[in-house]
Amino acid sequence: MSSNQETIAGVGLADRPRKSRWPARMDLAQSTTGLVLALFMWGHMFFVSTILISKDAMWAVTKMFEGYFFFGKAFPGIVSVVVATILAILVLHAFLAMRKFPANYRQYREFVAHKNLMHHGDTTLWWWQVLTGFALFFLATVHLYQMLMHPGAIGPYQSADRVWTGSWWPLYLVLLFAVELHGGIGLYRLCVKWGWLEGKDPAASRARLKTAKWVLTAFFLALGLLTLGAYLKIGYEHRARAGEVYTPAWVQPNPMEKAP
Amino acid sequence: MASAPQSHRKLRFHILRYNPAKADDEPRIQTYELEEAPGMTLFIALTEIREKQDPSLQFDFVCRAGICGSCGMMINGRPSLACRSVTQSFPDDIWLAPLPVFELIGDLSVNTGKWMRGMSEKLETWVHMKQEELDFKRIEAPMDPALAEEIYELDRCIECGCCVAGCGTARMREDFVGAVALNKIARFRLDPRDDRTDEDFYELVGDDNGVFGCMSLLGCHDVCPKQLPLQTQIAFLRRKMVAQGTKG
Amino acid sequence: MKIVHTDVLVIGGGLAGLRLAIGAKRRGHDAIILSLVPAKRSHSKAAQGGMQASLGNVAKGQGDNEDVHFEDTVRGSDWGADQEVVRMFVNTAPKAVRELAAWGVPWSRVRKGDRTVIINGQKVTITERDEAQGLVAQRDFGGTKKWRTCYAADGTGHAMINAVADQAIADSIPVHERMEALALIHDGNRCYGAVVRDLITGEVSAYVATATAVCTGGAGRVYRTTTNAVICEGIGHALALETGASALGNMEAIQFHPTGIFPAGILVTEGCRGDGGLLKDVDGHRFMPDYEPEKKELASRDVVSRRMEEHIKKGKGHQSRFGTHLWLDITLLGEKHIHTNLREVWDICHYFLGVDPVKEMIPVRPAQHYTMGGVRTDASGQSPTLKGLFSAGEASCWDMHGFNRLGGNSVAETVVAGMIVGESVADYCDAIANAPTVPMGLVREFVEREQAKLAQFTKAGGKEDASVIKGEMQDLMTAKVGIFRTGADLEEAVDKLQKLLVRSRAIGLRSPTLGANPELVTAYRVQRMLKVALTVAYGAAVRTESRGAHFREDHPRRNDAEWLKRTLATWKGESDTLPTLAYEPLDVGRMELPPGWRGYGAKDYLDHPDTPARQQAVEAIRAQHANDRFAMQAALMPYEHLLPPVLRGRNERIDEKF
């Protein structure tokens, strides 16, 4: 059996007496990275949706992350560090989760046949997780690379211009659905996988978790669509002056004060 | 209950026929019509089809009471026990196919026995006692009554194979041990008569063919005819095996 | 020709076969188990309520011991049992429970302190002793003086076969699944193994063994209405019968279980009544106390089944569209009890009847349940007439059940017989005289004979339909050889069965292939089943008395004077249509418990001429050893020499500490 194999100095030892500890570590890491990403994604959604409150609010959140309110000066490099961390977690998560994907056509065919025959909710949801996960591999990476390289280009106008003038909105639209579905399903699955929130009646808890999952997904999709709409609107109205940086009125230097 | 003769439904059974032992046989769906009778189960229906229509039709029944696990098959797409499936609960068209994953013997008959024996040998699903020679003239060792009930709960598995056939992972990866095995490990882990520790159990299921291969699709839990708590048991085992695997 | 060699060939992978193989293997002999189905799917699995062993852990079992178990069993058998074998059994049963406990059976355990139980329809509080906390619990069963039935909820057989089959896997004992024995290879004096057919490929091969054990369970499927699994077709009985050398004992003794669900015949356990469930009629009236004021619902099974049918004949049954039945009421036990201790019962009612037994009554009627008779062996489990042939469990008749067995005694017998006969088999293999000297010509002859018989079905172009013949046999047996028997009915049955047997020799197949072919299987089995059915019907027709489960309306009295003897049926010639019957008298002069009234059922019986003298002798010995039950027993009927040395010795109890 292959399960007891361990590779040492490039050579597989068929009968190593003890089983490798790596599968346990990898299983834990897959769940942990998933959890971090899902929670990050929810926070992220709340932050970008501050545009629905006002441009100023969104500006303030952006600047907060750039350390403006701590240091009195914006350091977009902080964003790059965060983005790089998330990107690393994403790559690790993708690497770990990929082990579970169908590895060849036979497995693909078996699973699809199984899913279509069974009409079983959690099985079908996993298939959606595979598809969205696969999509996120590209969509999220592109988005993150952009943020990594242009950390300063976040703000009410810059973001909106990117959405409209920069034609990023189709990517964000697909990304939104992919990420919300993937994350929501993933969090539900983490609960049943590790036995969180089982309570006295695990069957009832599972049903409640499932409902909560759909409510949250619907909520974040709605929030996401509204937010994207808001950026689209701002971007469209701002298309003539695309590239201009937004600065709230209350931090704009007062010409009167400047004079000696 | 009405005693007057009533007209019964005409049921159509669409059965996946294939005999791998015959060199020239091709898998095909064959349809049999049968008049429904009150209280008819798939055991009664299939037996009647074999006796009156097609003596070559292969399927397995033993206890016909839902306790031996012989008659697992895909019934309208889902793995289930045929003997206790009442035709009344189905539409006029009933689709029957053998359980996937297991070796096909012919038509609806699959070799679950061989699979289960292999699983048991690989995972050593028996009580491992340090002390081989006990004196059975002496009063037995006491056991907490609640613990005995808990062990019995997990011991109710009938090895029908439904959990394996209902598992997306098992469908894709033939080395995956399946919920039946993970439940057994959970059962022996619970049993104070078994001297094995988590370190030993990790050797058996601590990899991607074992508990870490499970993707928590819960097909097993939802199709288990004995309603075993597979969801919580696998989750519990996963926690214990991760704890063991990340220790030290 | 493929030949497989082994020391011990065990035919049948149920509890008896598995335990026997483990015993032989642990003594150093290779064993192979042949099984029609995966071992854990054997019918042993269906035993629900429990296994009798006089542990005496629960308060209601206090004072229980081998002596009480012995008396209950002998009375239950209506004095048909071999009392030495019963002694061997009752002394080994506690050891068997304890061994199984160590092997992992999750026996239900005693909780110390007060608990409420239902006895005789009333709530009663029982206080369990502190020192019993966590020991194996016992419940009440029919025909017993004490609560003696050890159980794992109501999946006892299931839990037991899980543990025993797992031990067989641990001991690397191969189970050749989906293999069917077609004939025993023998020369009239000694058995050399079996001709075996692979049910998947159709291949016929020879399994040559020093010792061969038939552990194939019951023959319930010769009846239409039975609790037995579809594989319980009495093929093991037929294998032994067809040798012409070994005999079947007491085949007319067929047990009908009072509570088969109606109409499917699936068993709901005696534990339902043991735990306090009641039998009711069309008016909702609890009728058993009217017939059996002392034991009520918990008289022995033969008595309860007869009383139920008697009550139905009085017009007190409930008419449903399927026919007439009575009710089993367990609603008074409460939801919690049913969901913990009677879960399989709940499952069965839910799935097969659409009934919730917590709230509704269960439709029941007696159904064929157990074959007391079987392959006649001596106390060691070996055929006295065919060396090297052993048998254990329901398939055998070493005769611990006589004419009626008690609930919980059969599942106990499977493992106990497995333990005892496993040792005998090992002894036999050890004996140098039995070193294999296999006449290979004989092996070839047997294989070719069976192959020719199979070819006959596919080539001879017979016109009879196997499943039609089988159906007619089953209907005939249920209608004419049932609970109430008459000479006229039985003669009619014997006559018609003979005609069916003749017809079965002209069976042809619609699907004539020799590979995996269910029709071919029915064809060769039905010929064998008819022979077994004939031993039942013919034995019943000749036995002109009533004893245990064998009840003749035209001879309602037990007649010890003429019939205190065991029926032995053999099949002499291939072309015969009737078994040859012989009788083996039971020796009253050696009985520990001379024949008398059972304590329930009819009080009317004819004594054996030797009974009064033996009764006097027994009373004298009892008086002499009044203070020492072991000395008393040894003086009455020594038996320990019959047990394998490893299984001898007393059993410890809370009240009998070592």
Side-chain angles (χ1 to χ4, degrees), chain C residues 526-540:
Chain C
V526 78
Q527 292 182 335
R528 300 189 164 103
M529 291 170 81
L530 277 162
K531 289 181 183 167
V532 174
L534 272 159
T535 61
V536 178
Y538 190 44

Side-chain angles (χ1 to χ4, degrees), chain C residues 1-5 205-208 440 443-444 447:
Chain C
M1 185 176 66
K2 191 175 129 191
I3 300 178
V4 178
H5 292 270
S205 53
Y207 279 62
V208 174
M440 290 317 292
V443 173
R444 179 171 298 278
V447 171

Side-chain angles (χ1 to χ4, degrees), chain A residues 3 19 27 100 120 194, chain B residues 173 203 207 212 222 239:
Chain A
S3 59
K19 207 161 241 184
D27 194 59
K100 309 287 180 186
H120 176 252
W194 294 95
Chain B
R173 297 174 227 282
E203 295 305 311
D207 63 12
F212 304 131
D222 294 339
R239 295 201 297 272

